[in-house]
Amino acid sequence: MEETQREATWQEEEEQAEVAIWKYAFGFTEMAVVKCAIELGIADAIESHGNPMALSKLSSALACAPSPLYRIMRFLMHRGIFKEELTTAHGSPGYAQTALSRRLMRHGERSMAALILLESSPVMLAPWHSLSARVLANETSPFDATHGEDVWSYAAENPAHSQLINEAMACDARLAVPAMIHDCPEVFDGLGSLVDVGGGNGTTLQTLVKAFPWLRGINFDLPHVVSVATESIGVEHVGGDMFLSVPKADVVFLKSVLHDWGDKECIQILKKCREAIPEDKGKVIIVEAVIEEAETDKLTDVRLALDMIMMAHTNTGKERTFKEWGFVLGKAGFCRYTVKPIRAVQSVIEAFP
């Protein structure tokens, strides 16, 4: 009886493996086709049309041949990115938007287009071919090995890539920051000033200042980043180096910054943040992924994928567990901290001196 059960289990696993292995052989096609859809502007064209679009109308709007477009749309519809609905004109089949396809539009509060375009760019894809070398040598990051310098030096010398990074980070901010505002607005009670360290183009601060008008915001990033940031009411842009000093404020805010660095650098950054806040009422707010090794949820795969991205694109960066966050915060001189999950990939960590 047990032998029969083992045989059945083995057979079931073999059948699952026969299907699953193709995902790893051809998994890159999903990224490539989604990137193609963004570059063609498919979601934007359907949105602008206002109704489901027949293939002929869509191909005309995009100035492309119907046949390859049909094959692209067949692929995307099979994955539920677009759907088929009848057109209003003749009742013939047409392509319609979904909640997922709207995230492929170039603009919009929930657009993820810039983040996808960044991660699928040749600059960011090339280092993945050296991931095994990084694991074996545990030295130079694949990005450094591929491009001869780290990702920040490369961005400083290549304005177009720097802009793509800033736009991608803004994408993520438009998702994570509203979730934080909705789920734990109390973390901003009683604050007068806030400095966003590594704030990019200021999207995060603009969102926070709009939600909490009493805040005076300082967007702090490298000089070449803030030099092209858009001016906005309630936000001051300041250039500098977070390893040397951080502008003083009631609270220091760091989103998706510390995961770029190893423990040594994190502790150094956090110490500079601690110096910037008042000893009595100051705090540091960190918005980062927290990997729960004993539990999983619907975004666990995303957090683990982010950890692989850190391995490919940074020298020492990583996503941290609850215990690992406690270690770097303690070494930086913070006596207590809290972790609050939000409806996003990240959690909100409050650290107190």
Side-chain angles (χ1 to χ4, degrees), residues 173-192:
R174 284 192 290 267
L175 296 178
V177 178
M180 178 181 60
I181 291 169
H182 181 273
D183 293 344
C184 50
E186 68 279 358
V187 302
F188 299 98
D189 289 346
L191 302 177

Side-chain angles (χ1 to χ4, degrees), residues 127 130-151 310-316:
S130 302
L131 190 62
S132 57
R134 164 69 188 273
V135 176
L136 291 168
N138 197 28
E139 294 173 356
T140 305
S141 80
F143 192 98
D144 284 39
T146 302
H147 299 294
E149 57 189 339
D150 65 34
V151 65
M310 293 302 106
M311 188 180 292
H313 292 159
T314 71
N315 287 325
T316 55

Side-chain angles (χ1 to χ4, degrees), residues 4 28 59 91 110 187 315 342:
T4 303
F28 68 92
S59 63
R110 303 188 73 78
V187 302
N315 287 325
I342 57 175

Side-chain angles (χ1 to χ4, degrees), residues 47 74 108 137 151 200 246 289 303 313:
E47 187 75 11
R74 180 174 62 185
V151 65
V246 171
R303 298 182 187 109
H313 292 159

Side-chain angles (χ1 to χ4, degrees), residues 273-349:
C273 293
R274 192 175 182 279
E275 293 171 4
I277 58 176
E279 187 74 26
D280 53 346
K281 63 174 184 177
K283 63 180 176 181
V284 173
I285 299 173
I286 301 165
V287 182
E288 292 271 14
V290 178
I291 295 178
E292 296 289 352
E293 294 182 316
E295 301 175 13
T296 61
D297 62 25
K298 59 187 178 181
L299 291 173
T300 296
D301 280 351
V302 182
R303 298 182 187 109
L304 294 175
L306 277 173
D307 188 44
M308 296 297 97
I309 289 170
M310 293 302 106
M311 188 180 292
H313 292 159
T314 71
N315 287 325
T316 55
K318 62 180 179 179
E319 303 301 335
R320 291 176 167 82
T321 63
F322 185 91
K323 183 178 179 180
E324 288 170 329
W325 279 116
F327 172 77
V328 295
L329 288 167
K331 288 292 185 180
F334 292 90
C335 62
R336 65 184 179 93
Y337 65 96
T338 62
V339 178
K340 300 178 180 179
I342 57 175
R343 281 169 282 189
V345 173
Q346 303 92 339
S347 293
V348 175
I349 303 170

Side-chain angles (χ1 to χ4, degrees), residues 96-135:
Q97 293 273 62
T98 66
L100 186 53
S101 68
R102 286 191 171 92
R103 283 161 169 77
L104 305 184
M105 294 169 59
R106 285 289 192 149
H107 303 288
E109 287 303 306
R110 303 188 73 78
S111 169
M112 292 287 282
L115 184 57
I116 294 169
L117 291 176
L118 171 68
E119 295 300 338
S120 62
S121 68
V123 172
M124 301 304 264
L125 282 180
W128 287 102
H129 294 289
S130 302
L131 190 62
S132 57
R134 164 69 188 273
V135 176

